[in-house]
Amino acid sequence: MNFESELKKGNFLISECIHCKIIVWPPSEFCNQCLNENSWRKCSRKGKIIEFSKQKETYFCVAEFEKSIKIMGEIVSGEPKIAGQIYIVDCGIVNENYFLKMRVLE
Ligand SMILES: [Zn+2]
């Protein structure tokens, strides 16, 4: 599996070391602790808002997933609040940049 080709299809994957059981982020084929090969699995789409900001009419946030990785995304619906729950509705690659679209869970 390949992180970017799956992301293009809307699947957000994370790499996890089968030996240390840690999530390796940014995604990589090899564990950055023990250098063994990682396995790939879908990341939980539910995360927690760490911080957010507003640019023009759009909210952006940094959210934490799987209690481990922090990723930036655009909020497409809902009013964010710190520590609030968020859900990844879409992801992909545009102009070689990753994007994540999230909505606030009430
Ligand atoms: Zn490892």
Side-chain angles (χ1 to χ4, degrees):
M1 265 201 253
N2 175 290
F3 177 78
E4 293 195 349
S5 63
E6 287 296 313
L7 191 67
K8 278 181 196 161
K9 291 188 245 167
N11 294 322
F12 185 59
L13 298 184
I14 49 177
S15 49
E16 188 174 52
C17 176
I18 44 179
H19 300 275
C20 329
K21 308 285 182 203
I22 58 164
I23 294 170
V24 179
W25 188 260
S28 168
E29 278 184 54
F30 300 98
C31 176
N32 54 15
Q33 301 295 316
C34 72
L35 306 180
N36 274 297
E37 214 169 323
N38 288 327
S39 64
W40 294 93
R41 65 173 173 84
K42 282 187 183 175
C43 183
S44 166
R45 289 194 169 239
K46 238 186 201 178
K48 188 176 81 174
I49 299 172
I50 304 297
E51 58 183 39
F52 63 87
S53 61
K54 198 174 190 181
Q55 287 170 30
K56 291 177 184 161
E57 290 308 301
T58 310
Y59 282 112
F60 293 87
C61 74
V62 175
E64 184 186 74
F65 295 88
E66 308 245 355
K67 294 187 169 71
S68 162
I69 57 174
K70 294 185 178 67
I71 319 164
M72 219 184 109
E74 179 187 337
I75 297 175
V76 292
S77 79
E79 288 280 319
K81 58 176 191 286
I82 299 292
Q85 287 199 314
I86 198 127
Y87 187 86
I88 300 173
V89 288
D90 192 20
C91 61
I93 301 178
V94 171
N95 299 329
E96 296 180 17
N97 291 313
Y98 303 160
F99 75 85
L100 285 182
K101 292 186 177 183
M102 310 178 193
R103 73 180 165 85
V104 173
L105 292 179
E106 301 303 331

